[in-house]
Amino acid sequence: MADPAAVGEVGESFAVPIERGKIREFARATYSANPDYLDRSDAPVPPTFLTTIFFWADGQADPWPRVRLDQQRGLHAEQEYEFFGPPPRAGQRLTGRSRIVDVYQKQGRRGGTMTFAVMETDFTDETGRLVARARLTGVEAAAPAKAEVRS
């Protein structure tokens, strides 16, 4: 069961180097033919590139485990990105910092209570300017109903 006390938990800051080769690999993996991602030495990141933070934020940088969603009944429900200017480019080094911003429940359409948890990650550049924010929403489905015992 998710722990609402996780709201407010903040991970340690972590470095996110934006590498041209990784932008190109990501673009190819997502079937992008945009030459800006493939050929430019100062390539901008594709809109969902920041998903790769999961390769950088580990250990104390990742507050998500503190939510304690049951992974047997959990799934990634939503991901969104907000940019506060031009997207990051190859050669930049961002700093990420994640925090748990919400844990709440809703009644499921098929019955049972679903628990949602939301984590935001802010990305700042070398000057400390907020460049982007990623918002991840995970959900834990209701526990399956227990089978009736018949005698």
Side-chain angles (χ1 to χ4, degrees):
M1 180 68 136
D3 184 0
V7 173
E9 290 285 338
V10 179
E12 292 178 359
S13 296
F14 58 96
V16 183
I18 307 296
E19 302 169 16
R20 179 176 179 244
K22 293 300 177 186
I23 294 170
R24 184 181 177 94
E25 288 174 12
F26 188 87
R28 295 261 175 157
T30 57
Y31 298 100
S32 174
N34 184 332
D36 285 348
Y37 304 145
L38 302 173
D39 301 329
R40 294 179 60 143
S41 61
D42 66 340
V45 300
T48 58
F49 179 82
L50 295 175
T51 299
T52 63
I53 66 160
F54 295 110
F55 296 110
W56 295 99
D58 55 8
Q60 294 302 309
D62 184 6
W64 189 253
R66 297 177 214 161
V67 174
R68 299 177 193 234
L69 285 181
D70 181 346
Q71 296 305 304
Q72 298 289 321
R73 300 188 335 248
L75 57 113
H76 189 155
E78 184 176 65
Q79 185 76 44
E80 70 181 83
Y81 302 92
E82 183 176 3
F83 292 90
F84 301 95
R89 295 189 166 275
Q92 280 189 282
R93 183 177 179 88
L94 302 180
T95 299
R97 189 137 196 216
S98 300
R99 67 192 170 283
I100 306 302
V101 297
D102 204 0
V103 174
Y104 61 95
Q105 294 184 327
K106 281 184 171 179
Q107 189 63 30
R109 285 186 264 185
R110 296 181 185 166
T113 302
M114 299 186 312
T115 303
F116 293 80
V118 181
M119 180 174 74
E120 289 183 347
T121 303
D122 285 344
F123 297 91
T124 55
D125 66 12
E126 297 90 342
T127 69
R129 182 180 66 87
L130 181 62
V131 173
R133 177 172 291 142
R135 186 175 177 96
L136 174 153
T137 303
V139 64
E140 177 184 285
K146 293 185 179 185
E148 283 186 34
V149 176
R150 295 185 182 197
S151 41

